[in-house]
Amino acid sequence: MLGPKQEAQGALFYEFSIDDHVPQDHLLRSIDRFVDLDDIRQYLADFYSHTGRPSIDPELLVRMLLVGYCSGIRSERRLCEEVHLNLAYRWFCRLDLSDPVPNHSTFSKNRHGRFRESKLLRHLFEKTVARCIADGLVSGQRLAADASLIEADANKQNSTPKEDWDPRAIDPIDAPRAVKEYLDVLDDAAFGAASEVEPKFTSHSDPASQWTAARKGPAFFRYSTNYLIDTDHSVIVDVEGTRSIRQAEVGSVRTMLDRIKEQHDIDPERLIADSAYGSGPMLGWLVDRDIKPHIPVLDKAGRTDGTWSRADFEWDPKNNQYVCPEGEPLKQFRRNYSDPNRKPTGKGVAKYQALKHTCQVCPSKMKCCPKAVARKITREEHEDARQVARDIAKTKQYVVSMRLRKKVEMLFAHLKRILGLGRLRLRGPCGANDEFLLAATEVVLLIRTGLWLS
């Protein structure tokens, strides 16, 4: 039988509890058990005035931002609407049914002001990592590093070719915020000072972003988010935003390793990365810090014409010379310098050469140097560290490390597909770092709750 028509009837009194209407297995309940925001008010106390109108609780703003990144809601206007309508969002943000939701402009005011001045988002991320360390999810022994390209909020139509771009012509007083940040990082190793090579195009709206292409794909303006993860449970122990250029990405690993040593007292036993991090200076830096480089060596010394390569020559460190397969030495210096100041420094690339008359009568000349009068070999400054990495590459542990390195790629896939961070909404280096830190904090929280499987 057809029932009566349902009509809304107002009541004078309601007994309603938001907590009763949020399922016990809801995602936000799991996150709420592990997120710790109790000290935010004390952390920001010095950045608020002691007079004037009471401010919106900063913990509420942070909780709303976490809801947005957890649910893939990138627009702050839409985030305010969703928090207003969704009971679970209200419960997580500690809002009652009658409590108003902050205006979307409040986020911009706080983000560009006291949040960045106090480095609140960095503090929140490091506090989340510290809790994972305390709970035994981070051993700090095997770390992996990699970078991923994230599209910037810029386009080619609003850009200038490198031959017409002059940063000295910019007036910093009237420039937008993103342009001022670009001028501030011109001497920063992660941005302007990463390379002397100027990008092909520079964006007017976000000049710090890098015009680049990945894997022969289309070029556009991007930033790089750099992750340093512990491979035990795929916990991100540090994150850094840089230009999308190899020098900046490699340099960010040094920054992150120094930072986790200072913040969490982590000294890894090994670092796992791809060949982009296998340059001599990087390997030398790791070996000097007693970190085993499980990294493919970036080596261009191999030959494709079938003749002997540098690997076929034995290095004699005691006599500072190479020995060819025929037993003849290749030396760097063949005379003693009476004045030590006249002796070459040996820094950079050292050249080793065999005697001309020895090579001319050698039976293996066609296998060694068929077109040269004598064989020459170059040795880089950090060749000892490169050899350490080559020796590690022959071990079974290295094979395991290469499998573990894929965990970083899985985190990047989660970042772009689940959290929706395929394109940045905020401009400038500070905006990029804000988004990278919030997204990394969300990923660490999901890993801590066990809802993200490594």
Side-chain angles (χ1 to χ4, degrees):
M1 146 176 127
L2 182 63
K5 182 178 179 181
Q6 181 69 35
E7 294 183 358
Q9 296 182 354
L12 294 177
F13 303 99
Y14 287 95
E15 291 185 2
F16 187 87
S17 173
I18 296 181
D19 185 75
D20 295 338
H21 289 75
V22 179
Q24 293 299 319
D25 59 349
H26 196 279
L27 170 64
L28 290 179
R29 281 193 181 273
S30 301
I31 294 177
D32 187 64
R33 286 195 291 269
F34 298 103
V35 66
D36 185 4
L37 304 176
D38 294 338
D39 67 335
I40 283 185
R41 294 179 61 86
Q42 181 180 358
Y43 184 82
L44 292 174
D46 295 337
F47 294 88
Y48 283 88
S49 173
H50 298 290
T51 60
R53 188 176 61 180
S55 67
I56 295 176
D57 188 357
E59 180 180 345
L60 169 60
L61 299 178
V62 173
R63 285 183 175 273
M64 290 182 65
L65 288 173
L66 290 177
V67 167
Y69 277 80
C70 174
S71 307
I73 304 174
R74 305 292 309 290
S75 170
E76 289 162 2
R77 291 177 182 268
R78 185 187 162 202
L79 175 61
C80 293
E81 295 174 357
E82 293 293 333
V83 172
H84 175 73
L85 296 172
N86 193 301
L87 291 179
Y89 295 170
R90 278 185 171 270
W91 173 86
F92 182 79
C93 296
R94 307 295 191 263
L95 292 174
D96 202 354
L97 284 177
S98 59
D99 292 334
V101 177
N103 188 274
H104 64 86
S105 62
T106 308
F107 290 100
S108 298
K109 184 67 175 179
N110 284 273
R111 183 193 304 112
H112 297 310
R114 55 181 62 94
F115 281 11
R116 287 183 182 171
E117 293 173 4
S118 64
K119 299 182 180 179
L120 175 65
L121 300 182
R122 170 66 64 179
H123 170 75
L124 176 62
F125 170 76
E126 291 176 348
K127 190 174 181 181
T128 306
V129 173
R131 182 161 183 178
C132 290
I133 296 174
D135 293 340
L137 295 180
V138 177
S139 67
Q141 295 303 305
R142 298 184 298 185
L143 302 185
D146 205 352
S148 182
L149 304 180
I150 306 295
E151 185 176 357
D153 185 23
N155 59 73
K156 185 181 178 182
Q157 285 70 28
N158 188 24
S159 64
T160 299
K162 63 178 180 181
E163 56 268 16
D164 299 329
W165 178 258
D166 185 8
R168 295 171 297 180
I170 301 175
D171 184 4
I173 298 178
D174 298 330
R177 181 182 291 107
V179 178
K180 292 180 180 178
E181 293 178 7
Y182 160 74
L183 297 175
D184 292 338
V185 298
L186 284 177
D187 297 327
D188 195 327
F191 291 96
S195 173
E196 296 180 357
V197 179
E198 298 179 0
K200 188 175 181 180
F201 295 97
T202 301
S203 169
H204 297 165
S205 58
D206 193 355
S209 59
Q210 179 75 24
W211 175 264
T212 184
R215 296 185 179 180
K216 299 182 180 180
F220 47 84
F221 292 104
R222 319 186 193 206
Y223 284 96
S224 287
T225 176
N226 300 269
Y227 278 1
L228 187 65
I229 76 164
D230 183 271
T231 58
D232 289 354
H233 295 88
S234 300
V235 175
I236 305 171
V237 295
D238 207 349
V239 59
E240 182 78 4
T242 64
R243 284 177 63 189
S244 296
I245 188 170
R246 184 174 60 85
Q247 295 90 327
E249 295 169 355
V250 173
S252 69
V253 174
R254 302 186 185 185
T255 301
M256 292 188 289
L257 286 172
D258 288 337
R259 190 157 50 210
I260 64 171
K261 170 62 178 176
E262 179 182 354
Q263 295 294 331
H264 308 295
D265 195 25
I266 293 179
D267 265 327
E269 177 265 337
R270 73 181 67 168
L271 177 71
I272 308 169
D274 58 26
S275 58
Y277 302 83
S279 62
M282 182 63 189
L283 296 175
W285 187 85
L286 292 172
V287 172
D288 290 342
R289 289 194 53 168
D290 294 328
I291 300 175
K292 296 180 181 178
H294 286 236
I295 305 173
V297 179
L298 191 62
D299 194 351
K300 300 180 180 180
R303 293 190 171 189
T304 59
D305 57 357
T307 58
W308 289 338
S309 64
R310 184 171 56 189
D312 297 313
F313 290 73
E314 181 182 355
W315 170 245
D316 181 6
K318 182 178 180 180
N319 298 313
N320 187 26
Q321 65 181 15
Y322 278 97
V323 180
C324 76
E326 294 290 343
E328 297 295 334
L330 285 77
K331 296 184 177 183
Q332 184 181 12
F333 312 117
R334 295 188 179 273
R335 65 188 178 114
N336 295 325
Y337 286 86
S338 57
D339 183 2
N341 295 327
R342 293 184 57 200
K343 184 176 180 180
T345 61
K347 294 182 179 180
V349 178
K351 297 181 180 180
Y352 295 81
Q353 182 174 346
L355 292 173
K356 178 179 178 180
H357 68 270
T358 302
C359 289
Q360 292 298 322
V361 298
C362 179
S364 302
K365 186 177 186 302
M366 298 305 297
K367 296 181 180 180
C368 182
C369 52
K371 298 181 180 180
V373 295
R375 182 58 190 262
K376 298 179 182 178
I377 291 180
T378 58
R379 181 178 179 85
E380 295 187 4
E381 181 182 1
H382 301 282
E383 189 62 29
D384 292 336
R386 291 157 62 92
Q387 189 58 44
V388 170
R390 293 191 189 99
D391 295 338
I392 292 176
K394 300 175 183 177
T395 63
K396 293 182 180 180
Q397 293 180 341
Y398 179 83
V399 178
V400 176
S401 296
M402 291 300 101
R403 290 200 298 265
L404 294 175
R405 192 184 66 82
K406 297 179 181 179
K407 291 188 175 184
V408 192
E409 302 293 344
M410 295 172 63
L411 287 172
F412 289 142
H414 184 92
L415 176 72
K416 296 179 180 180
R417 297 184 60 184
I418 306 301
L419 300 186
L421 193 65
R423 178 185 174 96
L424 297 174
R425 288 188 64 252
L426 306 179
R427 294 173 177 172
C430 294
N433 270 306
D434 286 351
E435 295 211 55
F436 295 156
L437 282 167
L438 274 171
T441 303
E442 194 67 52
V443 172
V444 174
L445 285 172
L446 292 174
I447 293 173
R448 179 61 189 87
T449 59
L451 299 174
W452 191 88
L453 300 178
S454 58

